[in-house]
Amino acid sequence: MSGHCSVDDTGGGTLPPDPATPSPCPSPIQTRALDAHLQIADSSYMDTKRFTVFPNGLRKSGKVFLYPVSDIEWRTFLQQVSKRMKLNVGKLFNEDGGEIEEYDVIMHDDVLYAAGPGEDFKMPDLEDNDGSGSSRDWVTLNVGGRIFSTTRSTLTRHSDSMLATMFGEHWNSSRDAAGSYLIDRTPEYFAPILNFLRCGILVIDDGVNPEGVLQEATFFNITPIMERLVGLVDRRAKKDAFSRRDVIAILLTSSTNASLRCQGLNLEGVDLSKLDLSHINFKMTNFRAANLSKCTLDNALLQEADLTKADLSGANLRGANLSGANLEGANLKGANFEDRGGVRAVLDGANLKDAVLEEVNFSGANLRVANLRRANMENCSLRGADLAGANLEDVNLRGANLHKANLTGANLRGANFDIRTVSSR
């Protein structure tokens, strides 16, 4: 017979213990004493609350606190947490980022994050549970809706770049619902930048414009590839550009009565001087810094064309349409826009800022709301021209002929007139 208490199978009574073995079953007095001890322990547990505090933005180096339920003065409590955490704690946040300002709000088994007095809540990286940093180094990016996975060490490879700042120790970037860092840029142009940061080689897929990649490199200040990208953009521009010989070949193989469609061509810097380019559609064509001196551009369509710093001195543009064209800094000295046949040259909304317009014949031309700021229009003929709403601020109009010109609503602030201008008006 064992010395433990057992049940009698026959009568259900308790069998007497073996006299040779001390009985482990508590006596009634012992039972009452044990119950009282458990009640005291349970009452003591109910009077305390246990919670865990981590440093802001981390899920490691935390401390477990056991404090009484009774109210504690908040400042004193923060001082005690600071001492235990060895941090200057000025704020406590819950797991959702809500700031806690009263001790009573803290509940049993809460997880809290301790931050400095002026610090905002930082979402902890829950993947880095082992504290090694290996998982935490991986990040997910949402670039313009496309997801990229990479490491912080890759993104911070060039210390002076914006990406190094964005993913440094003290950056708190916005994230989407999945936790990916949000970057509002074009993903097709960002991909070559990320590939360069990974392996140090610039690879641009077919169909991706190097100019867009250059814009990304400039935006993120990835200086090691900017010079190479500038070279790629320049070479592409030269490759796409037409030469004088190409233009002459087109002219020689077309009928003189045909209206050629040369819309959107790249003729930047090309010498087209003295050519007959009348009646040709050059809408949105790039003539930047091109030589068009003494050209015949009668009735040509140059709407929204880029003629920045182009040379059109002595050119004939009778009846030409330059609506919305950019002629900033262009040289049009001695150009002729007058069409005696009654077809008016159109330059409404054109940008002629800082252009050289000396001795230009704008007689009867439409220059409504054109920007002529700081242009040199000395001895220019504006007889019967429509300049309503045009910007003539700081324009040199000495000796200009404004007879019957429409200047309604024009900005003439700082314009320079002389007696010849007034008398001709």
Side-chain angles (χ1 to χ4, degrees):
M1 171 72 69
S2 169
H4 294 279
C5 295
S6 59
V7 178
D8 183 1
D9 292 338
T10 58
T14 303
L15 296 176
D18 187 346
T21 306
S23 174
C25 297
S27 68
I29 295 175
Q30 290 175 319
T31 300
R32 286 194 296 272
L34 179 61
D35 288 343
H37 177 75
L38 292 174
Q39 288 174 3
I40 292 170
D42 185 59
S43 174
S44 175
Y45 179 78
M46 293 297 292
D47 288 341
T48 61
K49 51 186 175 184
R50 182 186 63 213
F51 49 89
T52 307
V53 181
F54 291 100
N56 192 23
L58 299 177
R59 197 59 185 260
K60 60 183 180 181
S61 305
K63 302 289 184 182
V64 178
F65 291 77
L66 187 65
Y67 267 72
V69 173
S70 58
D71 191 17
I72 297 177
E73 200 272 326
W74 185 246
R75 183 177 298 178
T76 302
F77 174 66
L78 289 180
Q79 291 173 350
Q80 293 173 357
V81 174
S82 298
K83 184 177 180 180
R84 181 89 183 276
M85 298 291 294
K86 297 181 180 179
L87 297 170
N88 181 20
V89 179
K91 295 180 181 179
L92 284 177
F93 297 96
N94 63 18
E95 290 183 286
D96 297 322
E99 184 177 353
I100 297 173
E101 297 178 329
E102 296 180 8
Y103 177 77
D104 287 345
V105 177
I106 301 174
M107 306 302 292
H108 185 68
D109 283 338
D110 268 356
V111 175
L112 309 176
Y113 296 92
E119 192 177 357
D120 293 328
F121 175 71
K122 296 179 181 178
M123 182 71 70
D125 194 336
L126 300 180
E127 294 180 354
D128 188 24
N129 292 322
D130 61 358
S132 65
S134 58
S135 297
R136 186 170 179 262
D137 192 47
W138 280 94
V139 294
T140 305
L141 311 177
N142 183 341
V143 183
R146 180 173 162 186
I147 303 301
F148 294 85
S149 293
T150 185
T151 62
R152 289 182 187 271
S153 57
T154 295
L155 295 170
T156 59
R157 180 153 295 163
H158 295 282
S159 58
D160 58 344
S161 71
M162 182 186 290
L163 288 170
T165 302
M166 290 172 65
F167 293 95
E169 291 296 327
H170 305 293
W171 183 266
N172 186 20
S173 182
S174 300
R175 302 196 192 191
D176 62 14
S180 301
Y181 288 96
L182 291 165
I183 299 178
D184 187 20
R185 305 297 295 178
T186 305
E188 291 78 14
Y189 300 146
F190 180 79
I193 300 295
L194 182 58
N195 187 71
F196 172 78
L197 293 174
R198 284 171 173 158
C199 57
I201 299 174
L202 178 63
V203 179
I204 302 177
D205 294 337
D206 292 341
V208 177
N209 192 337
E211 191 168 357
V213 182
L214 175 59
Q215 290 176 353
E216 294 300 294
T218 303
F219 179 81
F220 289 112
N221 195 34
I222 311 296
T223 54
I225 57 171
M226 288 172 62
E227 185 176 349
R228 184 178 174 189
L229 284 167
V230 169
L232 285 174
V233 172
D234 289 344
R235 284 197 297 272
R236 178 174 177 174
K238 291 177 181 178
K239 182 179 178 180
D240 293 341
F242 277 62
S243 65
R244 180 182 178 91
R245 180 177 295 180
D246 295 329
V247 175
I248 292 174
I250 293 173
L251 295 175
L252 291 175
T253 56
S254 62
S255 171
T256 55
N257 296 323
S259 179
L260 292 179
R261 296 183 60 83
C262 296
Q263 181 173 321
L265 294 184
N266 184 4
L267 297 168
E268 182 175 356
V270 179
D271 181 6
L272 300 172
S273 59
K274 302 178 182 178
L275 293 180
D276 184 356
L277 303 172
S278 55
H279 299 281
I280 296 179
N281 179 359
F282 286 119
K283 185 177 181 180
M284 294 185 291
T285 292
N286 179 13
F287 284 111
R288 184 183 288 264
N291 183 0
L292 294 160
S293 61
K294 298 183 180 179
C295 270
T296 301
L297 288 157
D298 294 345
N299 298 299
L301 180 59
L302 293 157
Q303 191 175 9
E304 299 179 32
D306 187 356
L307 291 147
T308 306
K309 295 185 178 179
D311 184 1
L312 291 116
S313 58
N316 278 311
L317 295 116
R318 292 167 293 197
N321 184 348
L322 290 94
S323 176
N326 185 7
L327 295 109
E328 184 171 350
N331 178 13
L332 288 92
K333 184 175 180 179
N336 179 28
F337 287 86
E338 182 184 20
D339 185 358
R340 298 186 184 276
V343 180
R344 305 177 71 184
V346 178
L347 294 98
D348 64 309
N351 179 17
L352 291 149
K353 181 181 175 182
D354 297 311
V356 178
L357 304 174
E358 291 180 77
E359 302 173 5
V360 172
N361 187 356
F362 280 122
S363 297
N366 177 2
L367 288 154
R368 295 176 70 89
V369 299
N371 183 8
L372 295 145
R373 189 177 181 215
R374 292 195 303 268
N376 183 4
M377 302 182 76
E378 188 170 359
N379 298 321
C380 182
S381 176
L382 292 159
R383 185 183 180 92
D386 187 355
L387 291 149
N391 183 8
L392 294 158
E393 185 175 355
D394 298 322
V395 170
N396 178 12
L397 287 164
R398 294 169 59 190
N401 183 354
L402 292 164
H403 182 64
K404 293 187 178 180
N406 179 12
L407 293 164
T408 304
N411 177 15
L412 292 162
R413 182 182 301 170
N416 186 2
F417 298 91
D418 65 6
I419 190 63
R420 294 173 297 167
T421 308
V422 176
S423 63
S424 61
R425 177 84 164 74

